[in-house]
Amino acid sequence: MTSNTTSDPLAPSGSSSTALAGVLYVVATPIGNLADMVPRAVEILQSVAVIAAEDTRHSARLLSHFSISTPCTAYHDHSDSERTEKILDRVAAGESVALISDAGTPLVSDPGYRLVRSARERGLNVVPVPGACAMVAALSASGLPSDRFSFEGFPPPKANARRQWLEALSAESRTLIFYEAPHRVLACLETLAEVMGGDREAVIARELTKTFETIRLAPLAELVEFVRADSNQQRGEIVLMVAGASTRLESTLDAEAERVMGILLEELPVKQAAAMGAKITGVKKNALYQWALEHK
């Protein structure tokens, strides 16, 4: 007799042999090179009751490579609260569940935050299984200061919103880290150069751990030309990093430059005042802009 019943990955199943019962595992996966998968992650994914994946089709290649046959269920940006609670009900019932993203560490610019937050609110056990993270990998090889940094995720996609958002970050003294979509990376770099100054050091890190990995450190103006001239730099997964603003900019303004900026700021917005002040004093617009942000 043939049954028409299909398997529901969220239906209760038997206990696991390696993963602990009643645990939500947050499992990092490779960002490109499959050899970066840690052994513990393989063991956990092989033994949990179900894997909550950002894109089950995307994750199928990874799971197949490591002979992981654990059933999967989708958990992504559009998953509703009912799906969240259904997954956590399984954990509460004593089963083990693993959360993975398309690549890297879940929750870093990823919808997994809602699931982990809800698990914490319910008093459930959440266990991280560390591994690859594009942001950390890029920073480690960038050559930019790594003692203090700020991960800002994806900039707003629309031009005006992106400019305002970056202007608000321009005086930040920590190294800034962004993720950016390939089709917007050139526009983002152009705006960064305009807002933060073409001489500000920055890094583009693209396709990390993959065949066409690129990591380039240069002033923003140079990076704009580099990406504009090579369409290949507008493909793949991209991390952008920008050096923090110098904390010594204020002291570089002489009394005359400060006097001019004080007058201009009485009548003009910061951006226009900095542009006009640069023409009058010869001081770099970016230095005047950041000074104005601190004194307006």
Side-chain angles (χ1 to χ4, degrees):
M1 180 177 179
T2 302
S3 171
N4 292 323
T5 302
T6 57
S7 174
D8 179 2
L10 288 179
S13 63
S15 61
S16 61
S17 58
T18 300
L20 297 175
V23 174
L24 172 63
Y25 289 95
V26 182
V27 182
T29 56
I31 57 177
N33 193 321
L34 293 180
D36 292 335
M37 186 77 159
V38 300
R40 182 181 172 216
V42 175
E43 294 173 359
I44 292 296
L45 293 179
Q46 287 174 333
S47 59
V48 293
V50 66
I51 297 170
E54 187 176 0
D55 184 334
T56 56
R57 292 170 298 180
H58 180 90
S59 297
R61 174 171 168 262
L62 172 76
L63 301 180
S64 175
H65 180 82
F66 290 102
S67 301
I68 298 169
S69 57
T70 305
C72 292
T73 187
Y75 190 82
H76 45 65
D77 278 322
H78 304 294
S79 296
D80 56 20
S81 57
E82 182 179 355
R83 171 53 63 100
T84 297
E85 294 309 308
K86 199 169 184 182
I87 292 172
L88 295 181
D89 284 346
R90 295 192 64 166
V91 179
E95 291 191 310
S96 55
V97 175
L99 172 68
I100 63 174
S101 63
D102 284 348
T105 300
L107 277 73
V108 181
S109 283
D110 172 78
Y113 162 79
R114 299 194 305 270
L115 187 66
V116 172
R117 177 71 180 183
S118 295
R120 288 294 183 193
E121 290 173 348
R122 291 179 59 165
L124 300 174
N125 194 10
V126 181
V127 174
V129 181
C133 176
M135 172 193 74
V136 175
L139 181 63
S140 71
S142 69
L144 295 176
S146 57
D147 54 334
R148 297 176 65 246
F149 60 90
S150 177
F151 175 64
E152 299 295 334
F154 283 90
K158 294 187 177 179
N160 288 339
R162 181 170 59 242
R163 175 179 292 278
Q164 293 175 7
W165 187 75
L166 292 174
E167 285 177 347
L169 292 170
S170 64
E172 173 60 63
S173 61
R174 294 172 293 181
T175 296
L176 295 169
I177 307 175
F178 310 100
Y179 287 165
E180 187 54 289
H183 63 284
R184 290 196 297 266
V185 65
L186 179 57
C188 184
L189 282 168
E190 289 172 340
T191 306
L192 279 166
E194 292 170 6
V195 169
M196 299 189 181
D199 58 344
R200 180 87 72 96
E201 276 197 328
V203 173
I204 181 171
R206 188 184 68 88
E207 293 290 84
L208 292 173
T209 79
K210 300 176 185 176
T211 303
F212 299 106
E213 177 181 278
T214 302
I215 303 174
R216 188 178 182 96
L217 168 67
L220 276 165
E222 184 178 318
L223 282 185
V224 168
E225 295 307 316
F226 171 66
V227 173
R228 183 182 289 143
D230 183 358
S231 61
N232 287 323
Q233 303 308 319
Q234 301 176 48
R235 298 175 182 172
E237 304 294 328
I238 297 169
V239 183
L240 295 178
M241 293 161 285
V242 182
S246 172
T247 58
R248 298 190 297 271
L249 284 174
E250 179 178 343
S251 63
T252 65
L253 298 189
D254 58 26
E256 177 61 14
E258 290 187 5
R259 187 186 72 81
V260 170
M261 287 300 296
I263 295 171
L264 293 174
L265 287 170
E266 291 178 359
E267 304 294 336
L268 299 172
V270 170
K271 182 181 175 183
Q272 292 181 20
M276 186 170 291
K279 293 178 181 179
I280 296 172
T281 66
V283 178
K284 290 184 177 180
K285 180 175 68 174
N286 191 45
L288 295 174
Y289 182 87
Q290 293 176 46
W291 183 91
L293 289 177
E294 296 173 1
H295 291 80
K296 186 172 175 61

